[in-house]
Amino acid sequence: MVEASIEIGADPIGRISPRLYGTLAEHLGRCCYDGLWVGPSSQIPNVEGFREDAVEALRDLPMPLARWPGGCYADNYHWRKGIGSAAERPVTLGTSCGLSVADSNALGTHEFLRFCELAGVEPYFAGNVGSGSVQELCDWVEYVNSDVDTSLARERATNGCPGPGHVRLWGVGNETWGCGGNFDAAAYAQEYLRYATMLRRIDQDIELVAVGQEDDPLPESGLDPEWNARFLAALGPNVGLVDHLSVHRYWVHGGPETDFDEADYYALLAEAEATEALIERTVRTIAAIAPPSRRIGIALDEWGVWHPEARDWGPGNVPRRTPATFEQAGTLRDALAAAVALEVFHRQCSVLSMANLAQTVNVLHALLVTDGAACVKTPTYHAFSLHSPHIGAQAHGTQIATDITLPTGHAAVSATASRSERGAAVTVVNRHFDRAIATGVHVADMAVERARVLAADAANAVNSPQIPDRVAPRPLEVIRTPEGEFTFTLPAHSMATIEFRAARGVP
Ligand code: AHR
């Protein structure tokens, strides 16, 4: 007897763009340097300076998009310092999130583009508004993308890339309401107009990402909840210069990273779910100002859990880790929160144009953690991996019938589904802290191709170099009932993906 029954909606919601599975790769702590990048002379096996194991893991995932070089780092990054002979590059001051570090510039534009080639990633460059200039960013776009025989294009060729890079996504600053310059919305709009107008003249094919803001910032931040409305309104008839509006969302109400209790556990999952309300409100703000003919996508280009141990701001009654490394434990709970967010992204795939988990390696809600020669896949890596069958497919809604609810009022089981010419896939989350749930899904005329579950004995389980697979996908037993329902048992705090392929003649 199933306790939760899932139906897949007949009508597609929209295509699940690979861009919804992006990440942020910032020069912050050990994300890029000593995470992705160890340098060509490292003892750690590497491909042209990038850790072989990390590149392979990310390519396998896949990780289709990465935003670089920041974050806050972007507004103090000067791209010319990171091109040309590595030996001659200057050591500059890299700054982000209160850190100031010596930056060798060894990982620059060419290297990052090479990483993207190796790992099958679309690059998204965050431009410098805070300490840069319109000319500097125009030059970067010309250097990377131009197919006209200019001095900058020749310099690119001399540095190893004869052809244009075709980088489409360019951010005009990062968090310009804060670390990116402390602008107010109207002042940023004036800057944005200059940048966007001139960037479009350099390359008409690029997509520009303007800096927006969450409309419910923490009260103590003093940020303007009306930023998006004021910024878009100030652009007036030139609002069409915005292709994507960036909004960031960090979940900060889940208590300690590992020593959380049941209430904290549910609070984090509820916060992940509430990301949907932020997206919906942002859609309404855009619709109220931009003409219907102008589609502005929402770029959730930083999202994820930011535990109190890894920050010196916001809620959380725990000792803060000093000096700040921005590294935190990544538990199964974090993976389930990511899975809840991915359900949201599918439901919102017609308005959400990209999403970037913050961050990629070692820092914050990372996919991978490195420790010397070891490169460990976090539970969140596996949550993404369970989602890979959905990438590029058509999202379909799901209806869940269950009497089992959580203290937050949500149904204990949630799901997302997709269909493609390959078949169908359903990813199901059992959000219950301590109860296994017998679950069924109705899928007509299909047979199970593969079924995997991500579970562990405790919601705070982590992977480590010593036990790298404590939280890793395992085969899930799925039984087809005579009525044609596919049934399985989801352990407490777990998620699973069942992949179906068309089966003609299934009785
Ligand atoms: O991801 C860490 C930081 O969070 C980024 O640098 C910044 O954009 C955000 O505040």
Side-chain angles (χ1 to χ4, degrees):
M1 188 64 185
V2 298
E3 300 164 292
S5 185
I6 301 167
E7 296 283 350
I8 301 176
D11 299 326
I13 302 172
R15 178 173 179 263
I16 300 168
S17 165
R19 285 181 174 176
L20 298 185
Y21 286 85
T23 64
L24 167 64
E26 180 172 12
H27 287 220
L28 173 64
R30 293 194 310 128
C31 180
C32 285
Y33 291 115
D34 203 19
L36 277 180
W37 173 267
V38 287
S41 57
S42 171
Q43 297 293 307
I44 293 173
N46 65 84
V47 203
E48 297 168 48
F50 292 99
R51 286 186 74 113
E52 232 173 64
D53 44 17
V55 169
E56 196 181 314
L58 297 173
R59 193 184 49 226
D60 287 352
L61 205 48
M63 183 182 91
L65 172 72
R67 177 171 181 248
W68 177 86
C72 293
Y73 176 89
D75 281 293
N76 196 29
Y77 180 67
H78 300 282
W79 66 272
R80 287 205 69 92
K81 313 267 164 106
I83 59 168
S85 153
E88 286 164 29
R89 293 185 196 174
V91 177
T92 54
L93 196 64
T95 66
S96 179
C97 301
L99 293 185
S100 297
V101 298
D103 187 333
S104 68
N105 285 290
L107 167 48
T109 300
H110 289 264
E111 289 77 19
F112 189 74
L113 289 176
R114 182 68 182 128
F115 161 72
C116 289
E117 266 174 25
L118 292 167
V121 172
E122 178 185 4
Y124 161 19
F125 283 172
N128 178 345
V129 168
S131 68
S133 68
V134 178
Q135 188 62 57
E136 183 182 11
L137 190 49
C138 285
D139 286 350
W140 200 13
V141 173
E142 180 184 333
Y143 179 85
V144 172
N145 280 354
S146 185
D147 58 3
V148 181
D149 183 25
T150 65
S151 297
L152 280 170
R154 286 184 199 172
E155 191 178 0
R156 178 189 71 216
T158 307
N159 289 331
C161 285
H166 302 296
V167 174
R168 290 185 67 102
L169 288 167
W170 294 82
V172 181
N174 169 75
E175 297 191 352
T176 43
W177 35 263
C179 65
N182 280 316
F183 292 89
D184 63 33
Y188 174 59
Q190 288 312 303
E191 283 295 293
Y192 185 83
L193 287 175
R194 284 199 323 134
Y195 273 84
T197 304
M198 304 318 294
L199 288 166
R200 281 243 189 285
R201 285 172 57 179
I202 305 297
D203 185 341
Q204 292 177 11
D205 293 332
I206 56 178
E207 298 172 42
L208 295 176
V209 185
V211 174
Q213 196 199 279
E214 51 195 339
D215 60 0
D216 56 351
L218 291 173
E220 61 267 33
S221 70
L223 292 172
D224 175 9
E226 300 291 326
W227 169 281
N228 293 341
R230 286 192 227 280
F231 165 68
L232 293 171
L235 296 178
N238 293 309
V239 72
L241 288 170
V242 178
D243 296 300
H244 309 264
L245 184 69
S246 150
V247 187
H248 295 168
R249 176 56 102 205
Y250 288 101
W251 308 318
V252 296
H253 295 287
E257 56 185 3
T258 50
D259 294 334
F260 54 85
D261 60 22
E262 189 174 334
D264 294 328
Y265 166 90
Y266 285 128
L268 182 66
L269 298 194
E271 200 176 2
E273 178 95 32
T275 306
E276 185 153 29
L278 169 68
I279 296 168
E280 288 170 337
R281 291 194 307 270
T282 309
V283 168
R284 287 197 290 275
T285 302
I286 293 172
I289 294 165
S293 57
R294 179 64 207 159
R295 187 182 181 278
I296 297 176
I298 297 171
L300 186 67
D301 56 9
E302 292 184 26
W303 68 270
V305 188
W306 194 332
H307 289 301
E309 290 87 343
R311 55 180 154 78
D312 58 9
W313 53 271
N317 189 18
V318 299
R320 310 299 170 114
R321 204 163 277 135
T322 53
T325 59
F326 303 93
E327 296 187 26
Q328 59 188 23
T331 64
L332 174 58
R333 173 180 73 150
D334 299 336
L336 299 180
V340 168
L342 294 171
E343 290 173 359
V344 169
F345 300 169
H346 290 186
R347 286 197 292 270
Q348 299 296 330
C349 67
S350 59
V351 292
L352 190 65
S353 51
M354 75 176 89
N356 300 69
L357 175 73
Q359 297 198 4
T360 313
V361 184
N362 293 326
V363 163
L364 300 182
H365 197 164
L367 296 170
L368 301 172
V369 170
T370 63
D371 182 1
C375 177
V376 175
K377 294 171 178 164
T378 64
T380 295
Y381 176 97
H382 295 301
F384 270 60
S385 164
L386 284 188
H387 259 262
S388 61
H390 300 299
I391 298 178
Q394 291 289 326
H396 284 252
T398 54
Q399 290 86 46
I400 319 278
T402 184
D403 292 333
I404 309 174
T405 53
L406 308 177
T408 51
H410 295 95
V413 170
S414 59
T416 185
S418 67
R419 291 184 188 272
S420 67
E421 68 278 5
R422 296 187 301 275
V426 183
T427 299
V428 189
V429 179
N430 176 5
R431 304 183 184 191
H432 208 285
F433 189 63
D434 53 19
R435 177 168 171 180
I437 299 180
T439 307
V441 58
H442 294 94
V443 186
D445 303 330
M446 294 268 175
V448 174
E449 183 162 50
R450 181 165 68 150
R452 294 175 293 159
V453 60
L454 188 68
D457 50 331
N460 68 355
V462 296
N463 291 333
S464 63
Q466 294 71 36
I467 315 177
D469 292 328
R470 181 169 171 203
V471 189
R474 320 245 184 257
L476 173 72
E477 189 187 11
V478 179
I479 295 167
R480 188 166 188 278
T481 66
E483 294 74 39
E485 188 178 26
F486 294 91
T487 63
F488 45 91
T489 298
L490 285 175
H493 50 258
S494 73
M495 64 183 288
T497 294
I498 301 109
E499 294 167 67
F500 299 92
R501 63 178 156 69
R504 285 206 188 86
V506 173

